[in-house]
Amino acid sequence: MNNFTYHNSTCIYFGNDQISAIANIPKDKKILVTYGGGSIKKNGVYDQVKSALKDHNWDEFSGIEANPKYATLMLGVAKIKEQKFDYLLAVGGGSVVDGTKFMAAAACFEGDDPWDILSKQSPVLSALPLSCVLTLPATGTESNCGAVVTREHNKLAFMSPFVRPIFAVLDPKTTLSLSPRQSANGVVDAFVHVMEQYMTYPVNAKVQDRFSEGLLLNLIEEGPKVLATPDDLEVRSNIMWTATQALSGILGVGVPQDWASHMIGHELTGNFGIDHARSLSIILPSVMHNQRHLKEAKLLQYAERIFDIKSGSTQDRIDLAISKTIDFFKSMDVPTSLADVSLDAASVETILSSLEAHKMVALGEHGSIDLKQSRAILEYVL
Ligand code: NZQ
Ligand code: ZN
């Protein structure tokens, strides 16, 4: 196992009716509540937030779209600066939380152009304090320090400990209103987060491996249930906590990490608007196939511990593990090829150009996925 420092400071309020905990935000703060396209008004979450903040000084900023857009977020930054808000509360899915993280950093950014935080990875030296009420379990953003923002075809990420939420409310009841598509997307995104930190090469990190395998088994077990019995709060609860743990940072300490599926997937979303999780369900199995020699030991471990595959040749066991991963994605009703989302060979060229423009030319835990390998990964799933 490699050396690491681990510190996750986000306080989690988990369970039914925990939204009232947002009343703990200090009363001397001027709070900007941020949200998306209105789902929180339909499912009662907005009313709960309003009631919990009845003794606070607050206003709101809405319209943060899925795959949050830089231009929208900069409107929020202008409002923050003009009206001197000093605390942000994001209420919604990963896009609202990520967008709010960017606003928190951009409002304090002292460089010329806040876009540099994403495009040049300019260091974030401070940010406004922020917390969140999460309504879509998927990204793990509720307790991590990452955020992803889109500007035209550029979907870029930044990380800073200053934007890690102070607290996150995880009330599984808020997720009952998710569509089957969004519920499935969440399960698949969380699954791939675990895989990006697990499916590399062994460093004898038994805690990280066993935690990862437990989370993968949860998602394989509970994922199809959320589609079959969407009103089951126990299922929703287990999925919500699993998704948080999948990208809270705990799995990735002291181990190599991959993230190639995410980097290629971001280009599918940036160029063609494919939902984040659906880009991953197309790319991950192909990355596993393409990198099978470098990932061999972990692929065999995954085959045995997740799918109980113990016999057959090495390559047969790996093939079966990959095809069972695809079966799981199909059971979640997400695409597993470019054709499934109506993309053809021309789209491969577009994706490769974007990868090059974004300097994504040495991906994976060994930096071995250059543009030639990315091409092979994409062409394999045409
Ligand atoms: O905008 P509203 O009306 O709220 O509707 C949203 C949106 O249309 C809706 N929704 C959310 N909660 C709901 C709900 N509808 C009904 N009931 C609810 N309880 O769902 C739609 C999608 O929401 P979005 O926030 O975009 O989804 P998700 O949570 O999957 O977030 C995706 C974004 O997170 C980024 C992705 O790239 C993408 O931009 N990621 C962030 C990460 C991070 N910060 O660590 C890691 C991930 O890998 C990912 O890249
Ligand atoms: Zn993801």
Side-chain angles (χ1 to χ4, degrees):
M1 197 187 322
N2 304 327
N3 289 2
F4 63 86
T5 303
Y6 178 66
H7 178 73
N8 187 328
S9 52
T10 302
C11 170
I12 303 285
Y13 295 109
F14 186 94
N16 296 331
D17 306 320
Q18 288 276 37
I19 292 177
S20 55
I22 64 178
N24 293 336
I25 297 173
K27 294 234 169 46
D28 60 348
K29 295 291 181 192
K30 185 171 180 187
I31 306 167
L32 187 64
V33 173
T34 58
Y35 59 97
S39 69
I40 65 164
K41 291 212 164 155
K42 290 188 202 132
N43 62 12
V45 171
Y46 180 85
D47 289 339
Q48 291 181 64
V49 168
K50 200 171 158 188
S51 149
L53 293 182
K54 66 181 182 329
D55 297 325
H56 286 73
N57 178 11
W58 67 281
D59 195 0
E60 60 189 57
F61 177 77
S62 64
I64 300 177
E65 52 283 276
N67 305 309
K69 290 199 174 82
Y70 179 75
T72 306
L73 304 176
M74 289 308 291
L75 295 175
V77 172
K79 177 162 178 152
I80 290 167
K81 286 186 170 174
E82 270 161 35
Q83 298 178 30
K84 301 196 174 9
F85 291 95
D86 57 5
Y87 197 107
L88 307 185
L89 178 68
V91 185
S95 294
V96 171
V97 180
D98 278 12
T100 306
K101 286 177 170 181
F102 178 73
M103 284 160 54
C108 300
F109 187 64
E110 292 191 352
D112 294 335
D113 182 359
W115 179 243
D116 291 350
I117 295 171
L118 295 145
S119 64
K120 297 185 183 161
Q121 298 289 300
S122 295
V124 170
L125 303 175
S126 64
L128 293 177
L130 72 105
S131 292
C132 66
V133 176
L134 187 77
T135 63
L136 198 171
T139 59
T141 187
E142 62 275 16
S143 82
N144 71 34
C145 50
V148 188
V149 173
T150 298
R151 187 179 195 182
E152 284 138 22
H153 295 314
N154 303 299
K155 188 168 192 223
L156 302 176
F158 80 100
M159 306 213 16
S160 163
F162 293 108
V163 299
R164 193 190 294 275
I166 294 169
F167 70 76
V169 175
L170 307 181
D171 177 347
K173 263 196 204 164
T174 66
T175 71
L176 291 172
S177 56
L178 286 167
S179 64
R181 182 183 180 117
Q182 294 302 346
S183 299
N185 282 356
V187 169
V188 170
D189 190 22
F191 187 92
V192 181
H193 292 160
V194 180
M195 292 293 273
E196 298 273 30
Q197 299 163 90
Y198 169 81
M199 187 50 70
T200 57
Y201 55 88
V203 292
N204 199 20
K206 294 193 167 189
V207 172
Q208 295 88 323
D209 277 7
R210 301 270 187 203
F211 274 8
S212 295
E213 288 152 2
L215 298 181
L216 293 173
L217 288 167
N218 273 358
L219 292 164
I220 290 170
E221 217 168 88
E222 301 299 297
K225 287 191 206 164
V226 81
L227 297 182
T229 53
D231 296 333
D232 187 332
L233 210 48
E234 291 294 319
V235 172
R236 296 281 187 184
S237 301
N238 278 302
I239 287 177
M240 197 163 207
W241 190 225
T242 303
T244 298
Q245 292 304 319
L247 201 47
S248 67
I250 188 93
L251 304 182
V253 294
V255 297
Q257 301 189 24
D258 181 339
W259 297 104
S261 298
H262 269 72
M263 294 309 115
I264 301 172
H266 283 178
E267 306 301 356
L268 264 88
T269 306
N271 285 289
F272 304 107
I274 308 300
D275 293 359
H276 172 62
R278 290 164 172 249
S279 72
L280 303 174
S281 57
I282 295 168
I283 301 297
L284 174 80
S286 190
V287 170
M288 291 162 78
H289 169 73
N290 180 274
Q291 297 287 294
R292 61 197 296 145
H293 299 297
L294 293 169
K295 293 181 185 292
E296 187 173 290
K298 282 309 259 306
L299 279 163
L300 291 173
Q301 180 177 323
Y302 170 74
E304 177 167 348
R305 295 191 188 173
I306 303 300
F307 296 117
D308 204 26
I309 302 167
K310 294 179 183 153
S311 58
S313 72
T314 295
Q315 296 313 319
D316 284 351
R317 280 183 280 161
I318 291 174
D319 280 337
L320 190 54
I322 295 173
S323 82
K324 283 188 176 283
T325 307
I326 293 171
D327 288 347
F328 166 60
F329 288 158
K330 288 192 167 151
S331 77
M332 297 308 298
D333 208 17
V334 292
T336 54
S337 72
L338 291 171
D340 285 347
V341 291
S342 308
L343 293 180
D344 57 15
S347 66
V348 171
E349 305 308 322
T350 308
I351 297 163
L352 290 170
S353 302
S354 292
L355 284 168
E356 189 169 21
H358 295 142
K359 301 190 175 64
M360 296 293 168
V361 293
L363 301 174
E365 65 274 19
H366 301 284
S368 57
I369 304 181
D370 54 13
L371 288 178
K372 192 170 159 228
Q373 295 308 323
S374 286
R375 175 182 290 284
I377 288 164
L378 289 159
E379 289 180 346
Y380 190 69
V381 285
L382 266 173

